[in-house]
Amino acid sequence: RSVTQKKTHTLLNMNRMCASFTIGLLLIIATPIHSLRGVQQGKTPMSSLTHSFEPVLSNEEKYLNMAELLGACWDFSSVLRKIGQTTLARDFESNIRKAEALYKSVPSNRRQSLESLLLLERESGIHGPNGQLQDYSAATGLLWIRRYLEFHLDMYSAILASRDPTDAAIDAYKTQIEPFHGWALRKLFTVRLSTMMPPRDELLAMLGNFKTQEFGKKEEQLVLKDIRSLVSTWQPIVTQWRTAYQDLDLEDTRRA
């Protein structure tokens, strides 16, 4: 292929990647959530996710355990499916599989941490300069998984601070996703977020998998406590995650 053809192919891959992410994220906001009590009685999805992500960060050596991270991501996808978010789950799983494909193909001593796996892939020479990632790579899959978590981390943090859900979602989008979208995607996303976020009480009931008519102060405090725990668990993970990408020059900032 000529240099121009290669550039065009790469941009098309980026467009497909970001468009798929956008559609999935819009669906998770728009789709009603149904009860999960039959799945894990006494636990909200927020509590279950906290439990899954807690072992990811190794406190002793300050690295992200790759096996634990992949497992937690699959648990996150499972929750998405159980609450009816199958389209988003498929997109999320496609990114997990990109990381798993490399993880399963390399020696165990080169895959223990996120950092070692990313370094191994970078040394293979598949990526371009200045963080231009190949679409099929583990680095691309893990980049978009992180951005998705960062969006929710920012949105949930704002909700914990009593922000209006619509404002919280728009601000989180502007910080975490908008810099990587072209004009058309930015316009679409902003309009949809402005019109599709439910009121605060409704959103908290959804996140806790409570029916609206059963959602009171006690249930609200339970959900807020579980969101707070999830945010506290995610924060050091995504910070370490972002640092690894910056250190290895893998932070692909191209727009779609």
Side-chain angles (χ1 to χ4, degrees), residues 26 31 35 52 64 69 77 81 85 93 96 107 112 136 144 147 155 163 169 173 185-186 200 222-223 237-238 250 254:
L26 290 175
T31 306
S35 176
S52 295
L64 300 184
L69 179 58
S77 178
R81 286 186 176 276
Q85 308 296 339
E93 288 163 7
I96 299 173
Q112 183 177 8
Y136 61 81
W144 280 98
R147 285 173 178 168
M155 183 174 70
R163 292 284 307 282
Y173 169 72
L185 286 176
R186 293 200 307 271
R200 178 181 173 82
L222 172 64
V223 175
I237 291 174
V238 299
L250 296 175
R254 289 173 295 171

PDB file of all heavy atoms in Angstrom, residues 26 31 35 52 64 69 77 81 85 93 96 107 112 136 144 147 155 163 169 173 185-186 200 222-223 237-238 250 254:
ATOM      1  N   LEU A  26     -24.213   5.770  24.177  1.00  0.00           N
ATOM      2  CA  LEU A  26     -25.555   6.353  24.095  1.00  0.00           C
ATOM      3  C   LEU A  26     -26.612   5.344  24.509  1.00  0.00           C
ATOM      4  O   LEU A  26     -27.585   5.677  25.174  1.00  0.00           O
ATOM      5  CB  LEU A  26     -25.834   6.841  22.667  1.00  0.00           C
ATOM      6  CG  LEU A  26     -25.039   8.068  22.225  1.00  0.00           C
ATOM      7  CD1 LEU A  26     -25.314   8.358  20.753  1.00  0.00           C
ATOM      8  CD2 LEU A  26     -25.393   9.275  23.067  1.00  0.00           C
ATOM      9  N   THR A  31     -31.216   3.140  27.596  1.00  0.00           N
ATOM     10  CA  THR A  31     -31.973   1.919  27.805  1.00  0.00           C
ATOM     11  C   THR A  31     -32.400   1.758  29.251  1.00  0.00           C
ATOM     12  O   THR A  31     -31.592   1.925  30.144  1.00  0.00           O
ATOM     13  CB  THR A  31     -31.126   0.700  27.400  1.00  0.00           C
ATOM     14  OG1 THR A  31     -30.669   0.900  26.073  1.00  0.00           O
ATOM     15  CG2 THR A  31     -31.927  -0.580  27.487  1.00  0.00           C
ATOM     16  N   SER A  35     -34.520  -5.224  37.076  1.00  0.00           N
ATOM     17  CA  SER A  35     -34.008  -5.744  38.345  1.00  0.00           C
ATOM     18  C   SER A  35     -32.953  -6.817  38.152  1.00  0.00           C
ATOM     19  O   SER A  35     -33.049  -7.668  37.291  1.00  0.00           O
ATOM     20  CB  SER A  35     -35.165  -6.334  39.150  1.00  0.00           C
ATOM     21  OG  SER A  35     -34.675  -6.923  40.327  1.00  0.00           O
ATOM     22  N   SER A  52     -15.050  -6.678  42.084  1.00  0.00           N
ATOM     23  CA  SER A  52     -14.286  -7.219  40.954  1.00  0.00           C
ATOM     24  C   SER A  52     -13.009  -6.435  40.686  1.00  0.00           C
ATOM     25  O   SER A  52     -11.978  -7.009  40.337  1.00  0.00           O
ATOM     26  CB  SER A  52     -15.151  -7.223  39.691  1.00  0.00           C
ATOM     27  OG  SER A  52     -16.241  -8.102  39.817  1.00  0.00           O
ATOM     28  N   LEU A  64      -0.679  -2.686  37.636  1.00  0.00           N
ATOM     29  CA  LEU A  64      -2.014  -3.211  37.360  1.00  0.00           C
ATOM     30  C   LEU A  64      -1.885  -4.664  36.944  1.00  0.00           C
ATOM     31  O   LEU A  64      -1.252  -4.975  35.931  1.00  0.00           O
ATOM     32  CB  LEU A  64      -2.703  -2.397  36.263  1.00  0.00           C
ATOM     33  CG  LEU A  64      -2.920  -0.909  36.559  1.00  0.00           C
ATOM     34  CD1 LEU A  64      -3.694  -0.254  35.424  1.00  0.00           C
ATOM     35  CD2 LEU A  64      -3.641  -0.702  37.883  1.00  0.00           C
ATOM     36  N   LEU A  69      -7.351  -7.526  35.887  1.00  0.00           N
ATOM     37  CA  LEU A  69      -8.000  -6.478  35.098  1.00  0.00           C
ATOM     38  C   LEU A  69      -8.920  -7.070  34.042  1.00  0.00           C
ATOM     39  O   LEU A  69     -10.060  -6.625  33.872  1.00  0.00           O
ATOM     40  CB  LEU A  69      -6.935  -5.598  34.436  1.00  0.00           C
ATOM     41  CG  LEU A  69      -7.460  -4.465  33.550  1.00  0.00           C
ATOM     42  CD1 LEU A  69      -8.370  -3.531  34.325  1.00  0.00           C
ATOM     43  CD2 LEU A  69      -6.300  -3.696  32.925  1.00  0.00           C
ATOM     44  N   SER A  77     -18.697  -6.348  31.783  1.00  0.00           N
ATOM     45  CA  SER A  77     -19.485  -6.681  30.602  1.00  0.00           C
ATOM     46  C   SER A  77     -20.681  -7.559  30.970  1.00  0.00           C
ATOM     47  O   SER A  77     -21.781  -7.398  30.431  1.00  0.00           O
ATOM     48  CB  SER A  77     -18.607  -7.395  29.577  1.00  0.00           C
ATOM     49  OG  SER A  77     -19.359  -7.762  28.441  1.00  0.00           O
ATOM     50  N   ARG A  81     -24.701  -6.890  30.278  1.00  0.00           N
ATOM     51  CA  ARG A  81     -25.636  -7.808  29.637  1.00  0.00           C
ATOM     52  C   ARG A  81     -26.846  -8.090  30.525  1.00  0.00           C
ATOM     53  O   ARG A  81     -27.985  -8.147  30.049  1.00  0.00           O
ATOM     54  CB  ARG A  81     -24.927  -9.115  29.281  1.00  0.00           C
ATOM     55  CG  ARG A  81     -23.994  -8.996  28.087  1.00  0.00           C
ATOM     56  CD  ARG A  81     -23.421 -10.329  27.677  1.00  0.00           C
ATOM     57  NE  ARG A  81     -22.604 -10.213  26.472  1.00  0.00           N
ATOM     58  CZ  ARG A  81     -23.090 -10.225  25.231  1.00  0.00           C
ATOM     59  NH1 ARG A  81     -24.393 -10.364  25.043  1.00  0.00           N
ATOM     60  NH2 ARG A  81     -22.281 -10.124  24.187  1.00  0.00           N
ATOM     61  N   GLN A  85     -27.919  -4.190  28.450  1.00  0.00           N
ATOM     62  CA  GLN A  85     -27.072  -3.376  27.590  1.00  0.00           C
ATOM     63  C   GLN A  85     -26.217  -4.263  26.668  1.00  0.00           C
ATOM     64  O   GLN A  85     -24.993  -4.219  26.672  1.00  0.00           O
ATOM     65  CB  GLN A  85     -26.177  -2.484  28.454  1.00  0.00           C
ATOM     66  CG  GLN A  85     -26.904  -1.675  29.490  1.00  0.00           C
ATOM     67  CD  GLN A  85     -27.850  -0.656  28.886  1.00  0.00           C
ATOM     68  OE1 GLN A  85     -27.685  -0.278  27.726  1.00  0.00           O
ATOM     69  NE2 GLN A  85     -28.824  -0.216  29.641  1.00  0.00           N
ATOM     70  N   GLU A  93     -16.716  -5.994  24.934  1.00  0.00           N
ATOM     71  CA  GLU A  93     -16.069  -7.308  24.830  1.00  0.00           C
ATOM     72  C   GLU A  93     -15.095  -7.371  23.657  1.00  0.00           C
ATOM     73  O   GLU A  93     -14.064  -8.054  23.734  1.00  0.00           O
ATOM     74  CB  GLU A  93     -17.136  -8.394  24.700  1.00  0.00           C
ATOM     75  CG  GLU A  93     -17.902  -8.627  26.002  1.00  0.00           C
ATOM     76  CD  GLU A  93     -19.207  -9.375  25.801  1.00  0.00           C
ATOM     77  OE1 GLU A  93     -19.464  -9.828  24.659  1.00  0.00           O
ATOM     78  OE2 GLU A  93     -19.973  -9.485  26.772  1.00  0.00           O
ATOM     79  N   ILE A  96     -11.990  -6.031  25.019  1.00  0.00           N
ATOM     80  CA  ILE A  96     -11.353  -6.993  25.933  1.00  0.00           C
ATOM     81  C   ILE A  96     -10.626  -8.070  25.126  1.00  0.00           C
ATOM     82  O   ILE A  96      -9.499  -8.457  25.452  1.00  0.00           O
ATOM     83  CB  ILE A  96     -12.393  -7.652  26.858  1.00  0.00           C
ATOM     84  CG1 ILE A  96     -13.096  -6.615  27.725  1.00  0.00           C
ATOM     85  CG2 ILE A  96     -11.719  -8.678  27.769  1.00  0.00           C
ATOM     86  CD1 ILE A  96     -14.252  -7.179  28.554  1.00  0.00           C
ATOM     87  N   PRO A 107       4.576 -15.225  26.793  1.00  0.00           N
ATOM     88  CA  PRO A 107       5.014 -15.919  28.014  1.00  0.00           C
ATOM     89  C   PRO A 107       4.477 -15.241  29.275  1.00  0.00           C
ATOM     90  O   PRO A 107       4.304 -14.018  29.297  1.00  0.00           O
ATOM     91  CB  PRO A 107       6.549 -15.810  27.940  1.00  0.00           C
ATOM     92  CG  PRO A 107       6.853 -15.564  26.508  1.00  0.00           C
ATOM     93  CD  PRO A 107       5.715 -14.783  25.961  1.00  0.00           C
ATOM     94  N   GLN A 112       2.338 -10.185  33.199  1.00  0.00           N
ATOM     95  CA  GLN A 112       1.769 -10.065  34.536  1.00  0.00           C
ATOM     96  C   GLN A 112       1.108  -8.711  34.759  1.00  0.00           C
ATOM     97  O   GLN A 112       0.044  -8.619  35.353  1.00  0.00           O
ATOM     98  CB  GLN A 112       2.842 -10.285  35.607  1.00  0.00           C
ATOM     99  CG  GLN A 112       2.289 -10.234  37.030  1.00  0.00           C
ATOM    100  CD  GLN A 112       3.350 -10.521  38.070  1.00  0.00           C
ATOM    101  OE1 GLN A 112       4.533 -10.615  37.751  1.00  0.00           O
ATOM    102  NE2 GLN A 112       2.934 -10.671  39.309  1.00  0.00           N
ATOM    103  N   TYR A 136      -6.419  -3.053  15.741  1.00  0.00           N
ATOM    104  CA  TYR A 136      -6.619  -4.407  16.257  1.00  0.00           C
ATOM    105  C   TYR A 136      -5.781  -4.700  17.494  1.00  0.00           C
ATOM    106  O   TYR A 136      -5.857  -5.792  18.059  1.00  0.00           O
ATOM    107  CB  TYR A 136      -6.292  -5.443  15.167  1.00  0.00           C
ATOM    108  CG  TYR A 136      -4.866  -5.387  14.671  1.00  0.00           C
ATOM    109  CD1 TYR A 136      -3.829  -5.995  15.380  1.00  0.00           C
ATOM    110  CD2 TYR A 136      -4.555  -4.709  13.497  1.00  0.00           C
ATOM    111  CE1 TYR A 136      -2.523  -5.939  14.931  1.00  0.00           C
ATOM    112  CE2 TYR A 136      -3.246  -4.642  13.038  1.00  0.00           C
ATOM    113  CZ  TYR A 136      -2.229  -5.261  13.756  1.00  0.00           C
ATOM    114  OH  TYR A 136      -0.930  -5.195  13.309  1.00  0.00           O
ATOM    115  N   TRP A 144      -9.559   2.278  24.959  1.00  0.00           N
ATOM    116  CA  TRP A 144     -10.976   2.631  24.954  1.00  0.00           C
ATOM    117  C   TRP A 144     -11.715   2.081  26.169  1.00  0.00           C
ATOM    118  O   TRP A 144     -12.680   2.675  26.630  1.00  0.00           O
ATOM    119  CB  TRP A 144     -11.618   2.181  23.636  1.00  0.00           C
ATOM    120  CG  TRP A 144     -11.291   3.172  22.572  1.00  0.00           C
ATOM    121  CD1 TRP A 144     -10.312   3.081  21.642  1.00  0.00           C
ATOM    122  CD2 TRP A 144     -11.902   4.444  22.388  1.00  0.00           C
ATOM    123  NE1 TRP A 144     -10.273   4.211  20.873  1.00  0.00           N
ATOM    124  CE2 TRP A 144     -11.246   5.071  21.301  1.00  0.00           C
ATOM    125  CE3 TRP A 144     -12.948   5.117  23.025  1.00  0.00           C
ATOM    126  CZ2 TRP A 144     -11.597   6.340  20.856  1.00  0.00           C
ATOM    127  CZ3 TRP A 144     -13.298   6.391  22.579  1.00  0.00           C
ATOM    128  CH2 TRP A 144     -12.631   6.981  21.502  1.00  0.00           C
ATOM    129  N   ARG A 147     -10.973   4.806  28.713  1.00  0.00           N
ATOM    130  CA  ARG A 147     -11.754   6.026  28.484  1.00  0.00           C
ATOM    131  C   ARG A 147     -13.210   5.843  28.907  1.00  0.00           C
ATOM    132  O   ARG A 147     -13.826   6.772  29.446  1.00  0.00           O
ATOM    133  CB  ARG A 147     -11.671   6.422  27.006  1.00  0.00           C
ATOM    134  CG  ARG A 147     -10.339   7.034  26.637  1.00  0.00           C
ATOM    135  CD  ARG A 147     -10.221   7.269  25.142  1.00  0.00           C
ATOM    136  NE  ARG A 147      -8.947   7.898  24.811  1.00  0.00           N
ATOM    137  CZ  ARG A 147      -8.472   8.015  23.586  1.00  0.00           C
ATOM    138  NH1 ARG A 147      -9.172   7.533  22.555  1.00  0.00           N
ATOM    139  NH2 ARG A 147      -7.306   8.604  23.378  1.00  0.00           N
ATOM    140  N   MET A 155     -18.529  11.117  35.792  1.00  0.00           N
ATOM    141  CA  MET A 155     -19.964  11.319  35.934  1.00  0.00           C
ATOM    142  C   MET A 155     -20.445  10.933  37.330  1.00  0.00           C
ATOM    143  O   MET A 155     -21.195  11.666  37.982  1.00  0.00           O
ATOM    144  CB  MET A 155     -20.724  10.520  34.881  1.00  0.00           C
ATOM    145  CG  MET A 155     -22.242  10.742  34.932  1.00  0.00           C
ATOM    146  SD  MET A 155     -23.116   9.937  33.568  1.00  0.00           S
ATOM    147  CE  MET A 155     -22.937   8.212  34.006  1.00  0.00           C
ATOM    148  N   ARG A 163     -24.496  16.942  41.753  1.00  0.00           N
ATOM    149  CA  ARG A 163     -24.702  17.586  40.458  1.00  0.00           C
ATOM    150  C   ARG A 163     -25.891  16.959  39.744  1.00  0.00           C
ATOM    151  O   ARG A 163     -26.211  15.780  39.923  1.00  0.00           O
ATOM    152  CB  ARG A 163     -23.456  17.415  39.590  1.00  0.00           C
ATOM    153  CG  ARG A 163     -22.223  18.163  40.040  1.00  0.00           C
ATOM    154  CD  ARG A 163     -22.286  19.647  39.728  1.00  0.00           C
ATOM    155  NE  ARG A 163     -22.577  19.906  38.324  1.00  0.00           N
ATOM    156  CZ  ARG A 163     -21.667  19.801  37.336  1.00  0.00           C
ATOM    157  NH1 ARG A 163     -20.428  19.421  37.600  1.00  0.00           N
ATOM    158  NH2 ARG A 163     -22.015  20.083  36.094  1.00  0.00           N
ATOM    159  N   ALA A 169     -23.082  14.262  33.134  1.00  0.00           N
ATOM    160  CA  ALA A 169     -22.755  13.466  31.950  1.00  0.00           C
ATOM    161  C   ALA A 169     -22.092  14.317  30.874  1.00  0.00           C
ATOM    162  O   ALA A 169     -21.103  13.897  30.251  1.00  0.00           O
ATOM    163  CB  ALA A 169     -24.018  12.811  31.402  1.00  0.00           C
ATOM    164  N   TYR A 173     -18.326  13.885  29.491  1.00  0.00           N
ATOM    165  CA  TYR A 173     -18.083  13.687  28.063  1.00  0.00           C
ATOM    166  C   TYR A 173     -17.063  14.692  27.543  1.00  0.00           C
ATOM    167  O   TYR A 173     -16.119  14.326  26.818  1.00  0.00           O
ATOM    168  CB  TYR A 173     -19.389  13.808  27.279  1.00  0.00           C
ATOM    169  CG  TYR A 173     -19.160  13.883  25.790  1.00  0.00           C
ATOM    170  CD1 TYR A 173     -18.750  12.769  25.075  1.00  0.00           C
ATOM    171  CD2 TYR A 173     -19.304  15.096  25.106  1.00  0.00           C
ATOM    172  CE1 TYR A 173     -18.494  12.846  23.712  1.00  0.00           C
ATOM    173  CE2 TYR A 173     -19.053  15.183  23.750  1.00  0.00           C
ATOM    174  CZ  TYR A 173     -18.650  14.054  23.055  1.00  0.00           C
ATOM    175  OH  TYR A 173     -18.392  14.146  21.705  1.00  0.00           O
ATOM    176  N   LEU A 185     -19.616  13.931  15.550  1.00  0.00           N
ATOM    177  CA  LEU A 185     -19.823  13.110  16.740  1.00  0.00           C
ATOM    178  C   LEU A 185     -20.017  13.967  17.983  1.00  0.00           C
ATOM    179  O   LEU A 185     -20.825  13.638  18.857  1.00  0.00           O
ATOM    180  CB  LEU A 185     -18.645  12.156  16.935  1.00  0.00           C
ATOM    181  CG  LEU A 185     -18.569  10.969  15.980  1.00  0.00           C
ATOM    182  CD1 LEU A 185     -17.289  10.177  16.228  1.00  0.00           C
ATOM    183  CD2 LEU A 185     -19.784  10.061  16.131  1.00  0.00           C
ATOM    184  N   ARG A 186     -19.278  15.077  18.080  1.00  0.00           N
ATOM    185  CA  ARG A 186     -19.449  15.967  19.228  1.00  0.00           C
ATOM    186  C   ARG A 186     -20.861  16.525  19.278  1.00  0.00           C
ATOM    187  O   ARG A 186     -21.490  16.575  20.337  1.00  0.00           O
ATOM    188  CB  ARG A 186     -18.438  17.124  19.182  1.00  0.00           C
ATOM    189  CG  ARG A 186     -16.996  16.705  19.362  1.00  0.00           C
ATOM    190  CD  ARG A 186     -16.119  17.873  19.788  1.00  0.00           C
ATOM    191  NE  ARG A 186     -16.233  19.024  18.921  1.00  0.00           N
ATOM    192  CZ  ARG A 186     -15.484  19.234  17.840  1.00  0.00           C
ATOM    193  NH1 ARG A 186     -14.568  18.334  17.487  1.00  0.00           N
ATOM    194  NH2 ARG A 186     -15.634  20.313  17.122  1.00  0.00           N
ATOM    195  N   ARG A 200     -32.289  12.749  38.779  1.00  0.00           N
ATOM    196  CA  ARG A 200     -31.362  12.161  39.734  1.00  0.00           C
ATOM    197  C   ARG A 200     -31.931  10.925  40.432  1.00  0.00           C
ATOM    198  O   ARG A 200     -31.288   9.876  40.477  1.00  0.00           O
ATOM    199  CB  ARG A 200     -30.968  13.215  40.771  1.00  0.00           C
ATOM    200  CG  ARG A 200     -30.019  12.687  41.854  1.00  0.00           C
ATOM    201  CD  ARG A 200     -29.689  13.768  42.865  1.00  0.00           C
ATOM    202  NE  ARG A 200     -28.935  13.241  43.986  1.00  0.00           N
ATOM    203  CZ  ARG A 200     -27.621  13.042  43.984  1.00  0.00           C
ATOM    204  NH1 ARG A 200     -26.924  13.341  42.914  1.00  0.00           N
ATOM    205  NH2 ARG A 200     -27.000  12.552  45.047  1.00  0.00           N
ATOM    206  N   LEU A 222     -27.885   3.688  50.124  1.00  0.00           N
ATOM    207  CA  LEU A 222     -27.179   2.456  49.778  1.00  0.00           C
ATOM    208  C   LEU A 222     -26.485   2.596  48.431  1.00  0.00           C
ATOM    209  O   LEU A 222     -25.303   2.253  48.283  1.00  0.00           O
ATOM    210  CB  LEU A 222     -28.164   1.283  49.739  1.00  0.00           C
ATOM    211  CG  LEU A 222     -27.605  -0.045  49.193  1.00  0.00           C
ATOM    212  CD1 LEU A 222     -26.497  -0.567  50.108  1.00  0.00           C
ATOM    213  CD2 LEU A 222     -28.726  -1.075  49.049  1.00  0.00           C
ATOM    214  N   VAL A 223     -27.213   3.126  47.447  1.00  0.00           N
ATOM    215  CA  VAL A 223     -26.646   3.280  46.107  1.00  0.00           C
ATOM    216  C   VAL A 223     -25.490   4.279  46.119  1.00  0.00           C
ATOM    217  O   VAL A 223     -24.435   4.038  45.521  1.00  0.00           O
ATOM    218  CB  VAL A 223     -27.724   3.714  45.100  1.00  0.00           C
ATOM    219  CG1 VAL A 223     -27.102   3.993  43.728  1.00  0.00           C
ATOM    220  CG2 VAL A 223     -28.801   2.644  44.970  1.00  0.00           C
ATOM    221  N   ILE A 237      -6.755   3.118  39.829  1.00  0.00           N
ATOM    222  CA  ILE A 237      -6.550   2.207  38.700  1.00  0.00           C
ATOM    223  C   ILE A 237      -6.394   2.992  37.405  1.00  0.00           C
ATOM    224  O   ILE A 237      -5.437   2.791  36.654  1.00  0.00           O
ATOM    225  CB  ILE A 237      -7.718   1.201  38.596  1.00  0.00           C
ATOM    226  CG1 ILE A 237      -7.687   0.215  39.768  1.00  0.00           C
ATOM    227  CG2 ILE A 237      -7.661   0.453  37.261  1.00  0.00           C
ATOM    228  CD1 ILE A 237      -8.883  -0.706  39.826  1.00  0.00           C
ATOM    229  N   VAL A 238      -7.325   3.915  37.126  1.00  0.00           N
ATOM    230  CA  VAL A 238      -7.242   4.658  35.866  1.00  0.00           C
ATOM    231  C   VAL A 238      -6.065   5.631  35.872  1.00  0.00           C
ATOM    232  O   VAL A 238      -5.491   5.928  34.813  1.00  0.00           O
ATOM    233  CB  VAL A 238      -8.567   5.390  35.543  1.00  0.00           C
ATOM    234  CG1 VAL A 238      -9.703   4.400  35.387  1.00  0.00           C
ATOM    235  CG2 VAL A 238      -8.898   6.437  36.586  1.00  0.00           C
ATOM    236  N   LEU A 250       1.823   5.783  24.128  1.00  0.00           N
ATOM    237  CA  LEU A 250       0.745   5.043  23.473  1.00  0.00           C
ATOM    238  C   LEU A 250      -0.603   5.752  23.577  1.00  0.00           C
ATOM    239  O   LEU A 250      -1.634   5.172  23.253  1.00  0.00           O
ATOM    240  CB  LEU A 250       0.622   3.633  24.112  1.00  0.00           C
ATOM    241  CG  LEU A 250       1.821   2.710  23.945  1.00  0.00           C
ATOM    242  CD1 LEU A 250       1.613   1.425  24.727  1.00  0.00           C
ATOM    243  CD2 LEU A 250       2.097   2.396  22.469  1.00  0.00           C
ATOM    244  N   ARG A 254      -5.741  11.029  18.338  1.00  0.00           N
ATOM    245  CA  ARG A 254      -6.358  11.426  17.070  1.00  0.00           C
ATOM    246  C   ARG A 254      -7.872  11.493  17.182  1.00  0.00           C
ATOM    247  O   ARG A 254      -8.497  10.745  17.917  1.00  0.00           O
ATOM    248  CB  ARG A 254      -5.953  10.437  15.968  1.00  0.00           C
ATOM    249  CG  ARG A 254      -4.498  10.551  15.557  1.00  0.00           C
ATOM    250  CD  ARG A 254      -4.119   9.440  14.604  1.00  0.00           C
ATOM    251  NE  ARG A 254      -4.192   8.127  15.236  1.00  0.00           N
ATOM    252  CZ  ARG A 254      -4.073   6.978  14.582  1.00  0.00           C
ATOM    253  NH1 ARG A 254      -3.918   6.993  13.265  1.00  0.00           N
ATOM    254  NH2 ARG A 254      -4.116   5.843  15.234  1.00  0.00           N
TER     255      ARG A 254
END
